[in-house]
Amino acid sequence: NMLNKSLFNKYITLANINLKQIMIYRFEFMMSIVITPITLLVYYFTWTAIFGNGMMTSTLGYTLTDMISYFVVGMVINHAIYNNVGVDLQNKIMDGSLSADLLKPISPFFVFLIQNITNRAFAFIAEVLPVFFISLLMFKFQLPNMLTLLIFLISLMLSFLLNFMINIMMGLIAFWVKNIRSIQWFWFIIIRLFSGEFLPLEFFGATFITISSFLPFQYIRYSPIRIFIGKLDVYASLNVLFVQAIWIIILILVFQFFWKKAMKQFGAVGG
């Protein structure tokens, strides 16, 4: 019990330190609140033009309201799940500071996780809620019922963990490849495309959706968005939570496997 209490206190201390660091960059959060409504207006006018001011009622099962809601919720998700853990891990590997981190009582994995949870907890208040309420006032889209909202919030937390695992695994490549910037940019585009950030997956055709079904990316944005806007019933929504959890477990196991291999190589070269 004393050991658990000591570890818990260390996690709390780490979270407090990270929160103080976040406050230094609060200007960036304020700018995000200013830029987001402008971005949303661009989406709104673009899709209003595509739908021809009411001349076309729906496309591929999405109405104008659906599309506006899709991008609003997508933007909320972007703010809620954002992390740069892959780049952070790569930098620590390249500059050698990971060596010092490995000597600390808390695993670098949990340090990164706590840092990002703290960051996103602050962002939820400073970015996510303002973005959501600004969008609600601007577009007056319909909120889901309480059960759907609860399932969505759980899905959002799982989406955060899924996105975290995908990005930290990208950072692992730096153990074997010296410069992974080009790989990262390609990877980020693939994730954004297959997660439905640019458009709902239906817009890319049946083959694209089939390929996407074998990948975890759609469960980062596309599926949680569809829960919120009512495209999935309760059973299908719960199935999304299940698949998200399965992917997270798979990625954790894969990460552990490659982390152990990386540690052997890191130690072998005197890291």
Side-chain angles (χ1 to χ4, degrees), residues 72-248:
V72 167
V73 178
M75 192 162 289
V76 167
I77 291 175
N78 286 344
H79 286 300
I81 71 171
Y82 172 79
N83 71 73
N84 207 29
V85 66
V87 174
D88 293 340
L89 177 56
Q90 178 204 0
N91 291 338
K92 282 185 173 292
I93 294 169
M94 300 305 293
D95 65 21
S97 61
L98 183 64
S99 298
D101 292 340
L102 292 171
L103 298 175
K104 296 176 182 178
I106 304 177
S107 163
F109 174 87
F110 286 108
V111 171
F112 282 128
L113 182 59
I114 292 167
Q115 286 175 342
N116 281 278
I117 289 174
T118 309
N119 185 292
R120 291 303 93 192
F122 179 79
F124 189 83
I125 298 170
E127 289 183 291
V128 175
L129 290 181
V131 166
F132 180 77
F133 286 117
I134 289 170
S135 303
L136 198 61
L137 290 173
M138 287 174 63
F139 305 116
K140 297 181 175 60
F141 59 87
Q142 188 174 359
L143 292 174
N145 59 53
M146 289 304 296
L147 178 59
T148 300
L149 186 59
L150 176 61
I151 295 173
F152 169 76
L153 290 175
I154 296 171
S155 180
L156 183 61
M157 289 186 283
L158 293 173
S159 176
F160 165 82
L161 292 174
L162 183 57
N163 192 48
F164 176 85
M165 289 308 307
I166 289 171
N167 284 328
I168 199 170
M169 286 184 64
M170 170 54 59
L172 279 179
I173 297 176
F175 280 111
W176 295 277
V177 180
K178 293 301 181 184
N179 191 344
I180 65 170
R181 294 293 183 182
S182 57
I183 299 174
Q184 281 179 329
W185 279 110
F186 176 75
W187 186 246
F188 291 152
I189 293 297
I190 291 296
I191 292 173
R192 294 174 72 181
L193 184 64
F194 279 91
S195 69
E197 180 177 350
F198 302 128
L199 283 170
L201 301 187
E202 289 89 345
F203 284 72
F204 297 103
T207 302
F208 189 91
I209 292 176
T210 300
I211 296 171
S212 178
S213 67
F214 293 100
L215 303 171
F217 308 132
Q218 67 169 293
Y219 298 99
I220 297 175
R221 295 181 181 87
Y222 173 73
S223 294
I225 293 173
R226 282 170 60 80
I227 291 174
F228 188 95
I229 66 176
K231 293 296 182 182
L232 302 177
D233 58 25
V234 173
Y235 176 80
S237 298
L238 292 174
N239 185 64
V240 168
L241 302 186
F242 176 75
V243 176
Q244 283 180 307
I246 292 297
W247 270 116
I248 291 168

Side-chain angles (χ1 to χ4, degrees), residues 44-78:
Y44 175 78
F45 288 121
T46 298
W47 284 102
T48 299
I50 290 172
F51 276 82
N53 294 313
M55 292 175 63
M56 183 170 61
T57 57
S58 68
T59 178
L60 296 174
Y62 289 87
T63 64
L64 175 59
T65 301
D66 287 338
M67 292 305 303
I68 298 302
S69 300
Y70 185 94
F71 285 107
V72 167
V73 178
M75 192 162 289
V76 167
I77 291 175
N78 286 344

